[in-house]
Amino acid sequence: DGGITQSPKYLFRKEGQNVTLSCEQNLNHDAMYWYRQDPGQGLRLIYYSQIVNDFQKGDIAEGYSVSREKKESFPLTVTSAQKNPTAFYLCASKAESSYEQYFGPGTRLTVT
Amino acid sequence: AQSVSQHNHHVILSEAASLELGCNYSYGGTVNLFWYVQYPGQHLQLLLKYFSGDPLVKGIKGFEAEFIKSKFSFNLRKPSVQWSDTAEYFCAVKDGNNRKLIWGLGTSLAVNP
């Protein structure tokens, strides 16, 4: 059953700690994306990767980092430098030949 | 910079009412247009898309959207909504040169049974 998995569904951290959100896809898609969704603010792009070992900053990359060592994996680290990390994080992927992005179920991160 | 505007942030309808959600974008060149839907507790999924050709696009679950180039609009419509249409709806645009989607802020639709 192809798709995108994000784990965990809910994540709680103390302020000052880095935390890594997992995103795995078995769709054989080249491109992967990380978005942040806040109420009333739509989806904002954090980072994206078009190919393994390459990634670009999105619109709100400050305080975040990513890696793309494998085609199927695109983990996002929320660092202590992110001023307002509590949010719903969505991972997506896209085939090279398509414009449609497929989304995972999301991870809700709460930092206190 | 390109932008996408969704005019209605919150919409409340009764079942069987007609729906139209507005979406306008700012880019003047060739665009690809999308409507995504996020049902409560579910993944964000594609509702419909426009790339070229017939400006009236049919999507899943009886939704349709019309691309009006002169108005830079891609409004979503459904003639008769159901309670199960309660969800958040996002309009997104990709211009010809950009690898990224530009997203609207979303419209929250609540359908009362």
Side-chain angles (χ1 to χ4, degrees), chain A residues 48-56 68 74:
Chain A
Y48 64 106
S49 168
Q50 299 290 332
I51 197 168
V52 173
N53 292 323
D54 189 38
F55 47 83
Q56 288 79 41
R68 186 86 187 276
F74 191 40

Side-chain angles (χ1 to χ4, degrees), chain A residues 7 10 12 21 27 29 35 39 43 46 48-49 51-52 58 69 76 79 82 84 89 96 98-99 102-103 106 110:
Chain A
S7 59
Y10 299 96
F12 298 88
L21 281 58
L27 300 168
H29 287 171
Y35 292 94
L43 275 68
I46 304 172
Y48 64 106
S49 168
I51 197 168
V52 173
E69 296 176 3
L76 172 75
T79 75
Q82 168 49 232
N84 186 20
Y89 291 88
E96 177 66 26
S98 170
Y99 295 126
Y102 292 81
F103 284 83
T110 302

Side-chain angles (χ1 to χ4, degrees), chain A residues 4 9 33 35 37 40-43 45 48 50 57-59 88 90 94 96 99-105, chain B residues 9 32 34 36 38 41-46 49 51 88 90 94 96 98-106:
Chain A
I4 302 175
K9 190 173 183 179
Y33 305 81
Y35 292 94
Q37 186 179 10
Q41 296 195 50
L43 275 68
L45 183 65
Y48 64 106
Q50 299 290 332
K57 292 183 179 180
D59 301 315
F88 188 55
L90 286 168
K94 182 183 76 66
E96 177 66 26
Y99 295 126
E100 180 180 349
Q101 293 185 14
Y102 292 81
F103 284 83
Chain B
H9 297 296
N32 305 123
F34 306 82
Y36 279 82
Q38 190 174 35
Q42 294 189 28
H43 298 203
L44 199 66
Q45 59 184 284
L46 183 68
K49 61 192 176 192
F51 288 170
E88 189 142 16
F90 294 94
K94 181 191 171 305
N98 204 328
R99 290 183 176 275
K100 301 182 294 183
L101 286 178
I102 310 299
W103 294 83
L105 296 184

Side-chain angles (χ1 to χ4, degrees), chain B residues 16 18 29 33 42 50 54 57 60 69 74 79 82 84 100 103:
Chain B
S18 63
L33 301 157
Q42 294 189 28
Y50 172 81
D54 189 343
V57 179
I60 60 171
K69 190 173 181 179
F74 190 54
Q82 301 173 308
S84 58
K100 301 182 294 183
W103 294 83

Side-chain angles (χ1 to χ4, degrees), chain A:
Chain A
D1 201 8
I4 302 175
T5 56
Q6 291 184 245
S7 59
K9 190 173 183 179
Y10 299 96
L11 191 53
F12 298 88
R13 280 293 182 272
K14 294 289 187 185
E15 196 173 310
Q17 294 179 334
N18 291 354
V19 58
T20 297
L21 281 58
S22 167
C23 177
E24 304 278 331
Q25 55 100 357
N26 61 3
L27 300 168
N28 199 35
H29 287 171
D30 290 302
M32 296 187 74
Y33 305 81
W34 273 107
Y35 292 94
R36 171 179 172 141
Q37 186 179 10
D38 296 284
Q41 296 195 50
L43 275 68
R44 293 183 290 168
L45 183 65
I46 304 172
Y47 267 99
Y48 64 106
S49 168
Q50 299 290 332
I51 197 168
V52 173
N53 292 323
D54 189 38
F55 47 83
Q56 288 79 41
K57 292 183 179 180
D59 301 315
I60 57 163
E62 186 175 348
Y64 300 97
S65 66
V66 293
S67 63
R68 186 86 187 276
E69 296 176 3
K70 299 185 296 182
K71 187 175 185 178
E72 56 271 22
S73 178
F74 191 40
L76 172 75
T77 297
V78 184
T79 75
S80 57
Q82 168 49 232
K83 299 300 181 192
N84 186 20
T86 294
F88 188 55
Y89 291 88
L90 286 168
C91 179
S93 71
K94 182 183 76 66
E96 177 66 26
S97 57
S98 170
Y99 295 126
E100 180 180 349
Q101 293 185 14
Y102 292 81
F103 284 83
T107 291
R108 188 166 297 280
L109 172 65
T110 302
V111 176
T112 58

